[in-house]
Amino acid sequence: MKLSNKTWDELEIGQRASLNRTATLEDFYVFANASGNMNPLHLPKHDGDGDGDPEAIAPAMWVGSLVSSVLGNLLPGPGTVYLGQQLHFHNRVHAGDPLTISVEVVEKRDGGEVLLDTCVEIAGGVKVASGVAEVRAPTKKLVFDDVEAPHLMLERHKHFDALLERAGGGAPMPVAVAAPEKGDALAGPVIAAKAGLIRPILVGDPDAIAAAAKAEGLDISGMEIVPAPHHPEAAEAAVDLVREGRAQALMKGHLHTDDLMHAVLRKENGLRAGRRLSHVFVMDVPGREKLLFVTDAAINIAPDLATKKDIVQNAIDLALALGIEEPKVGLLSAVETVTPSIPSTLDAAILSKMADRGQITGGLVDGPLAMDNAVDLGAAKTKGIAGSVAGRADILVAPNMEAGNMVAKELTFLARAEAGGIVVGAACPIILTSRADDEKARLASCAVAVLMARGTK
């Protein structure tokens, strides 16, 4: 940002300056952290006055602080020292309100002091705040060509909030939960049931399930329990519930993934649907303007070309079900050039051409792409990579499970992303949650499964 000032000698009575700013929810969160003011009236999702509706009213002093941005940036500008501020608040500001903040010089005093009328208005001329600022104006002309503050990233998962809202708009989906016999495995379906997303059918040892519920203080009253003494039998019975139409999705409880997938992939009355199964992490990365999909991070260890084709198509179909129009698929490798000594670049080039020929449908597919130029438009432009996918990828396809798992876990634990994961390519969504998942991640996995099931009907 380029800044310059008006010195005390240059200031004249009647000089004005203004700027425009739209209030956002992020502003209120940042102000709460910076000021320590945790008044629920100012925090989204909280009903701060007990009337039954969240208010998300802008803190009055946040509104007042906008005046300082005009004084410090424009008039008088850099070098201005605040001496005092009188403010009177007339109306309240809410997220989304467009604001105009203006100041006007009304008096010059000895010693470099200046009085300015200050005003904040909502579009349409509705006055929000007004008063008088007393400042010491700069005496030396200053020009700054490049002023920057450290970048702030707000750890907020608004995309998952939107998913949960969409998924909660219908009857709870019946889900067969295989062997939820430990507290962490039982908590997910109980939380999702409480949120109105699913209707769990608990399949496993009734005594173990009851003990887990008691130990964790979980209410499972009213939930159907299908007895199955051992984990393989629980997996088989859960799959049978889907085959019989009593459940529309499958959820892994406290059993090995191999036991569950053995039942899913059985030759007779399994859940095969003509494609290889694959896992997709649906990720809400703070600061990113849309969801990010990472695949395959949990099922296919070293997929060949045919398997990668199914992995790509599975991820596209899921993204479409979640409302992503023409998803952009970035096929990852270490480099963005086709290099015979790096097999993943050859696979990526072939998959891209397969998409061009209609063998993969519903999305735009490009690769090989390195991670930077798959997700960052600036990096793609720097390297001269053109196209609709580079720098804009919605789906990241890893060359193998190790790479996919590392990408997803790095985003989760370093970039503070939330991740919901499901297995796709079967006759129904298969929900896989981790013991490390928090409540939001468990709910998101269920929401993704609900929306996918609706989208495939």
Side-chain angles (χ1 to χ4, degrees):
M1 176 185 291
K2 183 174 182 178
L3 299 177
S4 62
N5 64 5
K6 295 285 186 182
T7 66
W8 189 89
D9 290 334
E10 293 175 316
L11 292 173
E12 297 178 359
I13 305 300
Q15 277 184 314
R16 291 175 55 85
S18 65
L19 59 78
N20 297 317
R21 170 73 175 267
T22 298
T24 68
L25 297 178
E26 285 77 10
D27 290 325
F28 305 167
Y29 282 122
V30 170
F31 185 83
N33 278 278
S35 68
N37 179 5
M38 298 298 172
N39 184 347
L41 274 172
H42 309 312
L43 299 177
K45 295 188 178 180
H46 290 280
D47 176 16
D49 59 6
D51 65 356
D53 294 313
E55 282 73 33
I57 296 171
M61 291 310 296
W62 175 80
V63 175
S65 72
L66 300 179
V67 173
S68 69
S69 64
V70 184
L71 297 173
N73 294 338
L74 302 176
L75 188 71
T80 299
V81 177
Y82 238 134
L83 300 176
Q85 174 76 60
Q86 174 207 359
L87 277 174
H88 183 74
F89 298 97
H90 309 279
N91 288 286
R92 299 304 178 197
V93 172
H94 295 82
D97 284 344
L99 304 173
T100 298
I101 307 98
S102 58
V103 304
E104 179 179 351
V105 178
V106 294
E107 185 180 344
K108 294 176 67 176
R109 296 175 174 175
D110 293 339
E113 293 185 9
V114 181
L115 294 184
L116 302 99
D117 277 340
T118 61
C119 183
V120 181
E121 294 178 327
I122 300 175
V126 178
K127 189 175 291 187
V128 173
S130 62
V132 177
E134 182 181 357
V135 304
R136 179 174 295 115
T139 57
K140 183 177 181 181
K141 191 68 177 178
L142 299 171
V143 177
F144 297 88
D145 291 326
D146 189 16
V147 177
E148 290 187 5
H151 179 66
L152 295 179
M153 182 174 289
L154 193 65
E155 188 180 325
R156 183 167 169 249
H157 301 103
K158 60 183 180 181
H159 305 306
F160 274 8
D161 291 339
L163 276 184
L164 293 172
E165 185 174 350
R166 284 179 54 204
M173 181 175 70
V175 175
V177 187
E181 298 162 354
K182 295 290 183 180
D184 54 3
L186 188 57
V190 170
I191 291 168
K194 186 176 180 181
L197 294 172
I198 69 171
R199 177 171 59 81
I201 304 172
L202 310 178
V203 186
D205 182 339
D207 292 336
I209 293 171
K214 183 178 180 180
E216 297 295 324
L218 300 172
D219 182 8
I220 60 171
S221 59
M223 292 186 187
E224 181 180 357
I225 298 178
V226 176
H230 304 294
H231 288 176
E233 288 88 343
E236 297 278 349
V239 169
D240 288 341
L241 289 172
V242 176
R243 294 290 305 178
E244 295 164 6
R246 293 179 57 195
Q248 296 175 15
L250 194 63
M251 180 183 288
K252 177 180 176 291
H254 188 74
L255 77 170
H256 289 296
T257 301
D258 288 348
D259 287 336
L260 184 65
M261 300 313 295
H262 180 77
V264 168
L265 297 174
R266 64 193 185 192
K267 291 184 178 180
E268 294 186 7
N269 296 319
L271 298 177
R272 295 173 185 264
R275 281 194 210 147
R276 287 293 295 265
L277 273 61
S278 57
H279 181 273
V280 182
F281 274 119
V282 181
M283 311 200 74
D284 188 341
V285 185
R288 185 176 166 84
E289 290 303 313
K290 52 186 177 178
L291 289 168
L292 184 67
F293 300 74
V294 178
T295 188
D296 179 341
I299 298 293
N300 296 286
I301 299 172
D304 58 16
L305 182 63
T307 301
K308 286 182 179 180
K309 173 181 176 291
D310 285 350
I311 289 172
V312 172
Q313 191 65 66
N314 287 341
I316 289 174
D317 290 349
L318 175 59
L320 290 170
L322 297 189
I324 309 297
E325 295 184 9
E326 199 172 44
K328 299 175 179 64
V329 182
L331 304 165
L332 296 182
S333 186
V335 296
E336 61 279 350
T337 55
V338 179
T339 306
S341 60
I342 306 178
S344 61
T345 67
L346 303 179
D347 286 350
I350 295 169
L351 290 166
S352 298
K353 182 54 66 176
M354 291 173 76
D356 291 342
R357 298 289 172 85
Q359 293 172 269
I360 299 171
T361 61
L364 301 173
V365 182
D366 195 12
L369 294 171
M371 182 69 179
D372 56 348
N373 47 64
V375 298
D376 187 271
L377 195 56
K381 288 180 177 178
T382 297
K383 294 188 176 182
I385 305 172
S388 300
V389 175
R392 305 179 180 90
D394 301 300
I395 299 168
L396 300 178
V397 179
N400 53 51
M401 188 179 75
E402 294 167 297
N405 196 274
M406 281 186 253
V407 168
K409 295 297 173 62
E410 286 163 0
L411 288 170
T412 301
F413 291 98
L414 294 179
R416 310 302 297 171
E418 285 278 16
I422 67 169
V423 174
V424 290
C428 75
I430 302 171
I431 304 166
L432 294 185
T433 56
S434 167
R435 285 174 293 177
D437 287 345
D438 62 15
E439 181 174 323
K440 177 66 78 66
R442 294 171 191 263
L443 287 173
S445 295
C446 293
V448 168
V450 168
L451 293 172
M452 183 182 177
R454 289 180 190 166
T456 56
K457 286 185 179 179

